[in-house]
Amino acid sequence: MSKRILIIMAMAAEARPVIDQLGLRELPANPQLTSHFPRFQGEFAGKEIVISLNGKSTEYGVDRIGTEFAALNTQSAIVELAPELIINAGTCGAFSADADIADIITSDQPVVYHDHRVPLEGFDRFAMGAYPTAYCPEYFQGIEHKLGVVTTGNSLDMPDIDRQWIRQNQGMAKEMECAAVAATAHLYGIDFLPIKSVTDHIDIELDNVEQFLNNLSKASQKLSETLIRVLTNIN
Ligand code: ADE
């Protein structure tokens, strides 16, 4: 039996290049789910691949980015597809000393939150989280990548308190879904791997939104090339 790999992605624009390049077909919506997550399936390099998107908000017409829908998407895909490995692929911000635009960041360290602050005994560590990754050097053989902490929050901007937390946790990839996907994978005992491509520098003057929009296409293309090479390398 071929290995089943689930790839969770938040934005359609991030996923389009890899869906096209892998030639994946859209699955029909599950009639039992009133709010379905768009899913694309196919075979590649002897593996069964499903990309599951967070989908679009019916109220606001934009991709349902952020942790809530990432967790719901992941949970429903686990229940329906029983994957053996979950990858969270997407874009991120990074400090300019750590990575260039479109660089690939993955992690061999636990994924954390930088905006869950609960200063109560025990709840503090629970809120920050520490969800394991299943990084294997062989998956990234021949692929340029950086290893660092992926840190999740529900905002694109970075108030000082978030910056302090990110620095304190040595965060390298700042993004908006990974810890929620990792937590859900961990809940079900499924291996988890993040793969992020940098769209913006979080420590320069130029507005993050402007950088993000300027670099989204380049970063998504690089993400697609990397995903295809990692999927090829996985045994
Ligand atoms: N995704 C891409 N860039 C980001 C940033 N600066 N913060 C959060 N998520 C992001």
Side-chain angles (χ1 to χ4, degrees):
M1 268 239 308
S2 60
K3 193 173 174 99
R4 270 190 309 281
I5 301 176
L6 169 67
I7 304 174
I8 298 289
M9 300 183 78
M11 293 182 68
E14 292 170 332
R16 183 42 59 193
V18 68
I19 290 169
D20 290 346
Q21 280 158 33
L22 288 175
L24 304 182
R25 283 168 294 100
E26 183 157 11
L27 292 171
N30 183 334
Q32 285 164 340
L33 298 177
T34 50
S35 175
H36 95 285
F37 297 100
R39 296 204 170 118
F40 300 81
Q41 185 181 42
E43 294 246 332
F44 178 72
K47 291 122 204 159
E48 191 184 325
I49 313 291
V50 174
I51 293 183
S52 188
L53 304 183
N54 283 12
K56 281 208 189 309
S57 156
T58 44
E59 294 85 357
Y60 305 104
V62 295
D63 294 309
R64 296 187 289 214
I65 59 172
T67 57
E68 296 88 345
F69 287 100
L72 289 170
N73 178 11
T74 308
Q75 155 122 346
S76 81
I78 289 172
V79 170
E80 288 181 49
L81 308 164
E84 290 146 285
L85 172 68
I86 299 176
I87 296 174
N88 173 224
T91 57
C92 66
F95 293 107
S96 48
D98 288 340
D100 291 328
I101 298 301
D103 276 359
I104 294 295
I105 301 175
T106 182
S107 191
D108 57 357
Q109 293 169 72
V111 183
V112 294
Y113 286 102
H114 56 256
D115 67 353
H116 285 190
R117 293 178 286 276
V118 185
L120 287 172
E121 173 79 33
F123 291 96
D124 48 0
R125 280 179 293 124
F126 168 74
M128 189 171 83
Y131 302 104
T133 64
Y135 172 78
C136 288
E138 306 87 73
Y139 292 176
F140 287 84
Q141 198 145 34
I143 304 172
E144 218 176 295
H145 65 287
K146 295 178 187 301
L147 281 175
V149 173
V150 180
T151 177
T152 302
N154 268 309
S155 298
L156 190 69
D157 66 1
M158 186 169 62
D160 280 345
I161 184 75
D162 285 2
R163 180 191 307 267
Q164 279 169 33
W165 274 59
I166 292 169
R167 289 285 193 200
Q168 195 174 300
N169 291 329
Q170 290 166 344
M172 184 185 276
K174 172 182 180 280
E175 56 76 75
M176 298 177 67
E177 287 85 21
C178 194
V181 180
T184 313
H186 188 56
L187 191 63
Y188 286 87
I190 301 171
D191 280 353
F192 172 76
L193 182 70
I195 304 181
K196 301 281 158 176
S197 180
V198 176
T199 45
D200 52 285
H201 284 134
I202 54 183
D203 54 350
I204 68 167
E205 286 301 306
L206 189 60
D207 186 52
N208 283 113
V209 177
E210 201 176 328
Q211 291 188 62
F212 176 79
L213 293 173
N214 286 344
N215 298 321
L216 179 59
S217 166
K218 182 178 175 189
S220 302
Q221 190 53 48
K222 182 71 175 294
L223 187 62
S224 172
E225 286 161 24
T226 304
L227 272 170
I228 289 170
R229 294 179 66 187
V230 170
L231 292 173
T232 306
N233 285 349
I234 289 174
N235 270 320

